Amino acid sequence: MTDRPVDLLFEPLTLPCGAVLANRLVKSAMSDSLGDGRGNPGPGQARLYERWAEGGIAATIVGEVQGDPFAAEKPGNLVLGPLSDRAALTELTRCGSTGDTIIWAQLGHAGAMTHPPIGTPRGPSALDMPGLTCAALTRDEIAALPATFARTARMAVEVGFGGVQVHAAHGFLLSQFLSPLFNKRTDAYGGSLSNRMRLTLEVIAAVRDAVGPSVPVAVKLNATDQLEGGFSEDEAVQVVAALNATSVDLIDISGGTYFPGAASASDGTAKGAYFLPFAHRARAVTSKPLMLTGGIKTRAQAVEVLASGAVDVIGMARAMVLDPSLPQTWATDGPDPAFPRFDSPPEGGITAWYTMRLTALSRDEFGPAPEDLPAMVDAYETRDAERAVHWRRQFG
């Protein structure tokens, strides 16, 4: 390996808004489930993001930051609103902004996949299928959504987040509107792709107006839902082309969905960057900086992806859970993270294991071991159930 490709990982990148990423490595959004069950940062959450910042990452994205407590993905999510503990949020962003790291909030809304114990699932269309039942949003409720995202973005900046990411991937609300599998509407928000992407574009415009021209606004987009009859790569290319005409500063390419029973891309056995072929297609229709998330586990892979010219930023999640100082590790020719192997994990089990490892990191502890998977699944589910009780008391 030559010096030049290795250096590519650590070159700064100036985003269209003028903000600078110190290098090309970003901790992509995860549902860290470290909130206190009342929408505020829980014990250790600030320390977790401080650890990532101390490890040299250019930006960390806090996953699933909600504006509507009744449309949350899990009771460990953060909620930005009138009941928020601004002091705790400010401490989180202060710690997460250590050194040159920028901490961003991912603006979420679970829609049809709202966690039923804490909210009412509502999506583009009414659905009744195994594991997923929801009502349809009314036209007035849809019309109110851009303002909800905008208020959340504005408060994110007020409490110290250095950027925001609009979540339009992984089967959550905006992704549901994009997907013909979820979206059966016959009005201006359904049918043609231009109608199905309408809400995402309206949200981006409202968020930009809320945060101003100098704050980074990113969007996370599926390359594909990986579901038969869902959002396809051909459609995703057209959405990227439409995003090129907006004020977004970074397009984060991912894929897959948390639709009940669907296989997670990150739980699969595919080698290398899952969505790199799509990134090459996206590169042909946009001049916006592109970030690729999913499947990049080694420094050699990261270098190869950047050197291909398809993308500008590498997004990593589970690798950063295994080594929170991974940028420093790679900068000093240290080893790649050692990914655990699990025997016959239950659906959602691997996600639970990584989530509980985040809890250990927030306490400056090491663990769990792969063989602890059953216990971690139990601990994860028990904690969610306990937090759901607090959530209902907090938000009614």
Side-chain angles (χ1 to χ4, degrees), residues 85-355:
D85 184 339
R86 286 179 174 255
L89 288 164
T90 301
E91 177 66 6
L92 169 65
T93 59
R94 184 191 68 80
C95 291
S97 301
T98 300
D100 294 327
T101 300
I102 307 173
I103 187 169
W104 293 4
Q106 182 188 64
L107 309 178
H109 187 301
M113 290 196 289
T114 295
H115 192 49
I118 59 173
T120 302
R122 299 173 72 82
S125 303
L127 298 172
D128 188 3
M129 57 186 69
L132 184 63
T133 301
C134 75
L137 290 161
T138 67
R139 186 65 181 267
D140 286 346
E141 288 170 333
I142 294 171
L145 285 167
T148 299
F149 277 88
R151 284 194 299 272
T152 311
R154 186 180 300 111
M155 184 171 174
V157 174
E158 290 172 357
V159 298
F161 284 100
V164 295
Q165 182 187 72
V166 174
H167 195 359
H170 296 171
F172 296 110
L173 181 71
L174 297 181
S175 178
Q176 292 160 22
F177 270 89
L178 289 170
S179 172
L181 190 63
F182 285 92
N183 187 347
K184 307 293 185 182
R185 300 185 72 90
T186 57
D187 60 10
Y189 291 93
S192 68
L193 179 59
S194 61
N195 282 355
R196 284 184 277 126
M197 74 170 81
R198 185 185 307 277
L199 180 59
T200 297
L201 299 179
E202 290 177 349
V203 166
I204 290 169
V207 167
R208 172 56 74 195
D209 286 346
V211 302
S214 61
V215 173
V217 175
V219 61
K220 189 163 195 169
L221 179 72
N222 271 1
T224 169
D225 285 350
Q226 298 180 326
L227 293 171
E228 184 177 353
F231 187 57
S232 68
E233 284 198 9
D234 289 344
E235 289 185 325
V237 170
Q238 295 178 62
V239 174
V240 171
L243 291 172
N244 193 56
T246 71
S247 63
V248 298
D249 296 291
L250 183 68
I251 301 171
D252 180 5
I253 297 167
S254 188
T257 176
Y258 291 107
F259 185 90
S264 170
S266 54
D267 289 348
T269 58
K271 303 295 184 182
Y274 306 138
F275 307 109
L276 182 58
F278 173 81
H280 283 282
R281 296 184 65 186
R283 180 78 288 159
V285 299
T286 185
S287 59
K288 300 287 187 181
L290 295 178
M291 172 171 151
L292 188 63
T293 298
I296 300 170
K297 299 179 178 180
T298 70
R299 186 174 71 171
Q301 290 170 343
V303 169
E304 182 180 6
V305 168
L306 286 176
S308 76
V311 301
D312 308 280
V313 179
I314 301 297
M316 297 178 297
R318 290 181 175 178
M320 291 295 298
V321 181
L322 298 172
D323 181 359
S325 298
L326 190 58
Q328 288 183 356
T329 300
W330 282 353
T332 55
D333 295 321
D336 295 321
F339 280 76
R341 296 182 180 274
F342 301 97
D343 294 326
S344 302
E347 181 179 341
I350 298 177
T351 295
W353 186 92
Y354 276 94
T355 304

Side-chain angles (χ1 to χ4, degrees), residues 352-354 356-358 360 366-373 376:
W353 186 92
Y354 276 94
M356 297 310 294
R357 178 162 168 78
L358 289 175
F366 184 84
E371 57 268 24
D372 296 329
L373 180 64
M376 293 303 101

